[in-house]
Amino acid sequence: MTDKDRQKQLLHDRGICVVIPTYNNVGTIASVVRQTLLECRDVIVVNDGSTDGTEEVLREISGVTVVSSHPNKGKGHALRKGFEKALQMGFAYAITLDGDGQHYPENIGDFLEANREHPGALIVGSRNMEGVVRSKGSAFANRFSNFWFYVQTGKWLSDTQTGYRLYPIKKIPGLSLITSRYEAELEMLVLCSWHGVRLVPIPIDVYYPPKEERVSHFRPVKDFARISLLNTVLCVLAVVYGLPLRIGRFLMKYIRTYFSLIFFIILSLFVITPGVWLYVKSGKMTEHKRRKLHVMLQKIAQFIMIKCGIPGTKFSYKVAEGVSFDQPHVIICNHQSHLDLMCQLIFTPNVVFLTNNWVWNNPFYGFIIRNSEYYPVAEGIEQLMPQLKSLVDRGYSIAIYPEGTRSKDCKIGRFHKGAFYVAEKLGIDILPMCLYGPGKVLPKKTYTLLKSPIYIEVDHPVSQEELRSMGDCRQQASMMRKRYVRRYEEICNRIEQHV
């Protein structure tokens, strides 16, 4: 598969199409559409009442969805029709570019990468105007629009007039009420910002043909008047509608965070830790008693993740058919957040985790960790093997994070060979788990809870026979990482159409 074919497949898998509004662009539309089809296989062209033969040209291009409306009703109306068609076809995002040839379809890959890094965001193509000859009126209009956009939203964008964008079309508020002409693009930016949609600018190139070759349907007096009127209305709404939304969203983020922190402190310091301490100290620690401790930890994890839930998240999971937790495994999982362990504990009480020293000595739950026979990896795998063998002989699985540390950006890091060495020495299978979301809810080195779904998937075990066919432990780690990268991408593509 070529890079272009992979890009096309990834755009499709993530629910991204391209919407091209056009009006009397017969000289450029065929070239624009064909170049776009080289980058993305899902292209919707909205023919907004063209009278110059554009419709006939579009009929000759295969593989494109054409939406026609008559008479001409304006760019805003064309975008709305394109988005409605995209939603009807099941897409979650739409990249918009103009039919006059000023945008380069080759930049579609940049929008795809921005979407993968910032799922659910509105990606704004910021035009590189260096060396571009444009009218003074056009430059002034952009500065004018940028200024009022900042006044209305409190956010700065260097190019609010660009038509090259990626919209999360399911999240555009009041789509049916969007105005019909050029001002619609500014209106959508403002409304999305008010409703908490992230705005992410990325640099794009732009081509302006010589003045005598340009086809522009911008009506300087009428359209500038409409934009001015819209800005007046938006400034009023910014005070009575937009500002309260922004304040409410800001407060809710901190309320979620502090509520969760207080809940965690009370539960760990005043309920769970004292309860476990009393349980451990009341009599001899027998095998039966220790197993009951593990059952208690599982019940707590299920209560927090499933019954109670973390504010701003929706937790879900999937276990592959036939997977049993009755037999010991080495459980491996990608590592994103302090929440990961809680997500994994919901499945079985018969599991112990290898942790770092910080977790093992944690003042909130370190006592529980130590008495649950979790071990710090700092002691070295070889030194821990007698304890790990004893745990497996008693029916426990060993959970190890092969990345060794939390990922900063949720991407799958390099896998170390330790988990595979342990599985080989103990003669047991590897049980893969894959996590999405904890690193987005509580990213590394951040202190506020963000909103994101959390999902964990349990795959079929990988036998020692399968592992040996991959090579030695280092090769097994490399091959399993590649498998995780593919599966995590598939999970992201599915979930991030709905974030």
Side-chain angles (χ1 to χ4, degrees):
M1 180 181 288
T2 66
D3 289 343
K4 288 296 181 186
D5 289 336
R6 172 168 167 71
Q7 176 179 296
K8 289 180 182 180
Q9 185 63 48
L10 192 50
L11 285 162
H12 181 79
D13 290 345
R14 293 186 67 78
I16 303 174
C17 67
V18 174
V19 171
I20 305 175
T22 184
Y23 172 57
N24 286 350
N25 296 124
V26 70
T28 57
I29 190 62
S31 174
V32 169
V33 173
R34 289 194 173 100
Q35 289 179 52
T36 303
L37 285 169
L38 295 175
E39 306 292 329
C40 178
R41 74 188 194 203
D42 302 299
V43 179
I44 300 170
V45 179
V46 184
N47 177 26
D48 184 28
S50 297
T51 59
D52 64 346
T54 293
E55 190 162 353
E56 290 73 17
V57 169
L58 290 173
R59 286 200 200 106
E60 297 175 1
I61 305 174
S62 60
V64 62
T65 300
V66 179
V67 178
S68 296
S69 63
H70 297 278
N72 171 259
K73 295 181 180 178
K75 188 175 184 181
H77 178 267
L79 289 172
R80 186 166 69 243
K81 287 297 180 185
F83 293 163
E84 289 170 353
K85 184 64 176 178
L87 288 167
Q88 180 186 333
M89 294 171 68
F91 292 102
Y93 301 96
I95 297 173
T96 61
L97 59 87
D98 293 344
D100 59 4
Q102 71 165 284
H103 299 140
Y104 291 93
E106 292 84 354
N107 284 134
I108 286 172
D110 299 326
F111 283 91
L112 170 62
E113 289 308 309
N115 172 258
R116 296 175 71 187
E117 188 174 349
H118 306 280
L122 198 166
I123 313 298
V124 183
S126 183
R127 294 169 290 182
N128 176 13
M129 294 298 189
E130 186 177 348
V132 174
V133 179
R134 61 191 301 207
S135 67
K136 292 182 179 179
S138 173
F140 170 76
N142 196 48
R143 291 196 300 271
F144 180 84
S145 177
N146 295 347
F147 170 76
W148 286 112
F149 177 78
Y150 178 77
V151 171
Q152 293 151 8
T153 66
K155 296 179 180 177
W156 175 256
L157 285 177
S158 62
D159 191 357
T160 56
Q161 293 291 294
T162 177
Y164 209 170
R165 302 173 179 175
L166 182 148
Y167 289 93
I169 50 180
K170 293 181 180 179
K171 298 170 72 172
I172 300 175
L175 181 58
S176 61
L177 302 176
I178 296 297
T179 51
S180 63
R181 296 203 174 268
Y182 282 99
E183 67 274 13
E185 291 177 305
L186 174 62
E187 184 182 358
M188 284 189 284
L189 272 185
V190 172
L191 290 176
C192 284
S193 178
W194 285 349
H195 284 264
V197 179
R198 286 173 296 163
L199 307 180
V200 178
I202 64 170
I204 59 166
D205 296 319
V206 65
Y207 169 72
Y208 282 109
K211 188 174 182 180
E212 61 274 9
E213 297 179 16
R214 293 180 190 176
V215 177
S216 175
H217 306 294
F218 184 78
R219 304 164 302 177
V221 176
K222 287 186 177 180
D223 287 327
F224 195 75
R226 289 173 65 95
I227 292 172
S228 298
L229 177 60
L230 175 65
N231 275 317
T232 302
V233 173
L234 289 176
C235 284
V236 174
L237 289 175
V239 176
V240 300
Y241 182 72
L243 184 61
L245 280 178
R246 289 163 55 195
I247 293 173
R249 194 164 54 251
F250 175 83
L251 291 175
M252 282 306 300
K253 180 173 72 171
Y254 284 94
I255 288 172
R256 284 197 309 271
T257 300
Y258 288 121
F259 171 81
S260 300
L261 178 61
I262 292 169
F263 178 80
F264 168 74
I265 291 173
I266 291 174
L267 193 65
S268 61
L269 281 184
F270 300 105
V271 179
I272 299 175
T273 299
V276 170
W277 187 89
L278 289 172
Y279 179 75
V280 170
K281 296 300 182 181
S282 59
K284 185 179 179 181
M285 179 59 80
T286 63
E287 180 65 17
H288 176 72
K289 190 174 181 180
R290 199 178 297 279
R291 284 194 178 273
K292 287 185 69 175
L293 174 59
H294 281 271
V295 171
M296 288 168 55
L297 295 182
Q298 184 194 21
K299 296 296 183 185
I300 291 167
Q302 291 175 339
F303 172 75
I304 293 174
M305 299 306 303
I306 300 174
K307 293 183 180 179
C308 182
I310 298 171
T313 72
K314 181 180 179 181
F315 179 75
S316 60
Y317 61 90
K318 178 182 177 183
V319 180
E321 187 176 354
V323 171
S324 171
F325 293 96
D326 294 336
Q327 296 297 319
H329 306 280
V330 169
I331 297 174
I332 62 171
C333 188
N334 55 314
H335 199 10
Q336 296 189 354
S337 164
H338 294 305
L339 302 173
D340 297 355
L341 185 146
M342 198 72 67
C343 297
Q344 294 177 266
L345 271 175
I346 68 166
F347 297 111
T348 176
N350 299 325
V351 59
V352 297
F353 288 78
L354 297 191
T355 70
N356 58 33
N357 281 346
W358 184 88
V359 173
W360 210 68
N361 294 310
N362 187 276
F364 293 104
Y365 47 78
F367 179 81
I368 302 171
I369 294 293
R370 293 188 291 275
N371 280 279
S372 300
E373 295 187 287
Y374 294 8
Y375 290 101
V377 290
E379 292 188 16
I381 292 294
E382 203 63 59
Q383 285 70 28
L384 290 175
M385 286 306 299
Q387 294 96 316
L388 299 183
K389 185 178 185 310
S390 171
L391 288 166
V392 168
D393 290 343
R394 288 152 54 200
Y396 288 96
S397 292
I398 313 297
I400 303 174
Y401 296 114
E403 294 165 285
T405 186
R406 289 171 290 147
S407 172
K408 293 180 180 178
D409 54 9
C410 297
K411 294 179 181 177
I412 308 296
R414 183 174 73 90
F415 277 17
H416 301 281
K417 68 176 184 178
F420 305 91
Y421 175 79
V422 170
E424 180 184 84
K425 289 295 183 183
L426 298 177
I428 55 179
D429 299 342
I430 292 279
L431 182 63
M433 294 185 182
C434 192
L435 263 172
Y436 175 94
K440 297 180 184 296
V441 173
L442 189 61
K444 198 170 184 177
K445 296 186 179 179
T446 60
Y447 304 98
T448 56
L449 287 178
L450 306 179
K451 297 177 72 173
S452 172
I454 294 178
Y455 172 78
I456 184 167
E457 182 175 284
V458 183
D459 203 352
H460 291 101
V462 183
S463 69
Q464 276 299 314
E465 183 179 357
E466 292 176 88
L467 289 167
R468 282 192 293 271
S469 70
M470 299 178 188
D472 60 23
C473 291
R474 195 174 299 280
Q475 291 168 318
Q476 292 170 22
S478 177
M479 299 246 337
M480 287 298 293
R481 179 189 177 274
K482 291 176 182 177
R483 176 169 156 177
Y484 262 77
V485 168
R486 288 193 299 270
R487 185 57 192 147
Y488 185 69
E489 183 177 276
E490 291 169 0
I491 293 171
C492 290
N493 293 341
R494 175 172 56 83
I495 293 177
E496 289 172 0
Q497 297 185 41
H498 307 284
V499 297

